[in-house]
Amino acid sequence: MKRLRCIIIFAIALSRVSTAHAADFEFPNITLTKAAFGSCHNRKYAANAQKTWSSIRAEEPQIFFWTGDSVYTKGRSEASLDALQYEYKQMKTNATLGYSDFHPPLGIYGTWDDHDYGGNDAGRELPNRRERADLFWEFLGHRIMKNRDGVYSSLTVGSAPRKVKVLFLDTRWHREQHCIPSVAMKVPLGSGFACLSRWFAAAFFPSLCPSQSTLLGEEQWQWLEQETEASGSVLTLIVSSIQVLSTNPMMEGWGHFPSERDRLFRLISQMSEKTAVYILSGDVHHGEVLDPMAMKEDSFLEVTSSGLTHDCASPFYGGLCEPLLNTYSSHRHNNIKNYYIGINYGVIHIDWDNSTVEIKVRNQDGQTVLSTGQRTLQTPHPTWTEDELRTIHTTMDGHLLPWLKTAFITILVAVVIRLVSSRRTLG
Ligand SMILES: *[C@@H]1O[C@H](CO)[C@@H](O)[C@H](O)[C@H]1NC(C)=O
Ligand SMILES: *[C@@H]1O[C@H](CO)[C@@H](O)[C@H](O)[C@H]1NC(C)=O
Ligand SMILES: *[C@@H]1O[C@H](CO)[C@@H](O)[C@H](O)[C@H]1NC(C)=O
């Protein structure tokens, strides 16, 4: 009996060890030198899709990562499963778009964002999450056998000392509502109102917003923490559909979930002792290189590439895109103009002879428009202290409160003067 118990405990321990080290998808015998990534693909811009995919195919990446919004469905309300399935099928079979004959040798991996999840700005409240996830896995062409709540997954290419790990996060399945819930699916021009409500929450009422809301959910956090310990990779890419480091309060982003963002920063700081860390994101319809500690050399960086078929300057409010990017710029790497408005995709180059990685954003014609520059993969890696993490700019900073106070005091003073002077005339 005792022996049996020992065997069981040993077996459990063994299974724990093996799950902690095995990624969901592994290519131990391949060395990764070139990957591509991208987000925000709307079939209605078919000519743009064709041009962009032709440039991406010409790059001959070994692998491609979706960083969210691989398809859009028509209409404002929640997407039906049929509508999503139809869009995925179009992607995979309609040769006009140029995606159906894109077959990088290691395949296509990634995560979803709100549109391929099935509802603009939607989170955990959306029904049929498991069916939606099944459709998404079918679109990618592989499936996680584990019964997982979310489309998060891990991938490794290569073996130590040339191992690269990619962690795809699911920022929709478990996501709680913003403190002012988004009306993007409820009223005409709802996404515009949602931008304003996020801005108000961050700029006027940060202390009224519950900072404990979850984005990833506890189960995904535990998975992520397990995936990042002892992975043996020299380069780790964290893929989040929404931006992590942006200070722009109008867009969805980790800044609206302060305690979740702090938890991720602490995790990255622990990881940084063992591996170089970069974040890849999408969602916003422009390209950007973001930097949490603008003044420190070798800070961890985020590279955003979005969209593959359309950009933030094209809709009728497109004129606001550039002024907003210039206003919220404190998170930007090197130069506040380090962004790109125009259709784009991302490329990751690894030069193992020189132990460097370079992440680039390229325009529709394949020209480089943004770059991190060549960054070393050699140890020792830069690390970040708790104090340094605390200096990282946040979105929920009440930056319009001083203006509000001034306006309030001005009005108050004007009213008092008015009252006093009317008393005098009366007296
Ligand atoms: C990797 O290479 C080893 C040794 O050549 C081989 O045994 C193994 O099956 C290969 N693994 C994969 C996933 O191709
Ligand atoms: C293929 O896609 C184009 C562009 O979205 C569309 O106009 C066309 O109807 C599609 N073809 C089929 C067979 O669905
Ligand atoms: C890589 O390093 C070699 C020598 O160490 C150098 O000549 C070469 O220019 C480097 N390549 C790049 C792309 O920086």
Side-chain angles (χ1 to χ4, degrees):
M1 195 60 202
K2 212 171 194 178
R3 199 148 157 214
L4 185 64
R5 205 185 293 157
C6 276
I7 290 172
I8 290 172
I9 289 171
F10 182 69
I12 290 173
L14 206 63
S15 73
R16 288 255 164 91
V17 167
S18 62
T19 52
H21 293 274
D24 296 311
F25 307 104
E26 292 189 310
F27 299 97
N29 298 344
I30 309 268
T31 302
L32 186 67
T33 55
K34 191 173 195 182
F37 65 100
S39 68
C40 306
H41 187 283
N42 193 334
R43 189 168 63 84
K44 91 178 168 196
Y45 309 106
N48 287 343
Q50 204 169 57
K51 209 167 157 194
T52 310
W53 288 116
S54 135
S55 294
I56 296 177
R57 281 200 313 271
E59 299 267 359
E60 299 190 355
Q62 291 163 288
I63 194 164
F64 182 82
F65 308 138
W66 276 111
T67 57
D69 291 339
S70 53
V71 296
Y72 287 70
T73 52
K74 290 201 188 90
R76 172 175 8 103
S77 53
E78 176 191 316
S80 69
L81 297 174
D82 284 346
L84 284 168
Q85 192 162 29
Y86 179 76
E87 289 301 327
Y88 289 138
K89 191 167 169 214
Q90 283 283 331
M91 288 293 278
K92 292 184 81 150
T93 58
N94 189 334
T96 319
L97 302 172
Y99 180 74
S100 60
D101 50 356
F102 175 49
H103 302 291
L106 301 184
I108 296 176
Y109 297 81
T111 188
W112 58 18
D113 198 27
D114 50 348
H115 292 281
D116 34 2
Y117 178 55
N120 200 354
D121 291 350
R124 61 167 47 181
E125 69 283 357
L126 212 60
N128 304 323
R129 289 179 290 182
R130 196 163 297 283
E131 291 78 4
R132 290 168 196 282
D134 284 345
L135 290 177
F136 184 70
W137 288 124
E138 198 179 306
F139 167 63
L140 292 182
H142 32 251
R143 168 168 306 274
I144 304 253
M145 292 325 255
K146 296 154 200 152
N147 221 6
R148 196 173 272 176
D149 284 345
V151 298
Y152 55 92
S153 67
S154 61
L155 167 103
T156 62
V157 184
S159 306
R162 293 187 167 187
K163 187 169 175 183
V164 177
K165 184 159 202 171
V166 191
L167 296 163
F168 300 98
L169 305 182
D170 184 334
T171 63
R172 312 308 322 185
W173 186 295
H174 297 277
R175 204 199 74 147
E176 289 173 343
Q177 300 264 23
H178 280 144
C179 64
I180 308 175
S182 165
V183 293
M185 289 165 70
K186 303 207 165 67
V187 298
L189 301 179
S191 20
F193 287 118
C195 285
L196 287 180
S197 68
R198 283 190 285 267
W199 185 36
F200 282 147
F204 290 121
F205 320 114
S207 50
L208 295 181
C209 286
S211 63
Q212 301 305 320
S213 305
T214 192
L215 182 54
L216 296 190
E218 192 50 39
E219 191 184 302
Q220 184 174 186
W221 271 115
Q222 283 180 14
W223 164 84
L224 183 60
E225 279 154 7
Q226 204 179 45
E227 286 286 344
T228 52
E229 59 189 43
S231 78
S233 54
V234 287
L235 169 64
T236 305
L237 301 169
I238 299 178
V239 177
S240 163
S241 62
I242 55 174
Q243 289 186 310
V244 177
L245 303 173
S246 177
T247 53
N248 181 350
M250 304 237 183
M251 308 310 285
E252 287 197 285
W254 283 66
H256 292 283
F257 299 86
S259 61
E260 296 279 280
R261 201 167 94 131
D262 287 348
R263 188 166 176 181
L264 185 66
F265 287 161
R266 281 195 301 276
L267 186 64
I268 290 176
S269 124
Q270 287 158 16
M271 288 166 73
S272 68
E273 290 170 24
K274 296 175 230 133
T275 171
V277 187
Y278 291 86
I279 301 167
L280 306 179
S281 55
D283 176 47
V284 289
H285 305 179
H286 68 266
E288 189 170 12
V289 183
L290 304 89
D291 188 345
M293 294 165 220
M295 290 302 123
K296 183 170 162 158
E297 225 184 310
D298 287 329
S299 159
F300 57 94
L301 298 186
E302 170 175 355
V303 180
T304 302
S305 169
S306 163
L308 291 162
T309 57
H310 52 296
D311 59 53
C312 65
S314 34
F316 69 94
Y317 49 83
L320 291 175
C321 180
E322 197 160 352
L324 276 174
L325 287 171
N326 292 338
T327 304
Y328 296 104
S329 61
S330 60
H331 58 267
R332 209 156 291 140
H333 183 53
N334 273 344
N335 179 330
I336 64 160
K337 293 278 184 183
N338 211 345
Y339 59 79
Y340 177 71
I341 297 177
I343 293 168
N344 64 84
Y345 61 93
V347 178
I348 303 154
H349 279 282
I350 306 173
D351 176 348
W352 292 106
D353 294 331
N354 289 12
S355 271
T356 55
V357 61
E358 181 170 10
I359 307 178
K360 299 169 184 168
V361 173
R362 290 195 159 151
N363 68 12
Q364 210 176 12
D365 299 319
Q367 289 151 340
T368 302
V369 287
L370 300 173
S371 167
T372 57
Q374 287 187 7
R375 316 261 305 181
T376 184
L377 294 176
Q378 259 148 12
T379 46
H381 294 287
T383 54
W384 305 287
T385 63
E386 287 274 327
D387 280 346
E388 283 174 325
L389 294 177
R390 255 179 246 126
T391 65
I392 297 174
H393 289 211
T394 157
T395 315
M396 303 290 279
D397 58 0
H399 58 276
L400 288 183
L401 276 177
W403 175 85
L404 189 67
K405 267 184 210 151
T406 312
F408 181 72
I409 290 170
T410 312
I411 292 170
L412 199 70
V413 169
V415 168
V416 170
I417 290 174
R418 185 72 210 255
L419 280 179
V420 169
S421 63
S422 61
R423 263 226 182 139
R424 276 216 192 112
T425 34
L426 277 178

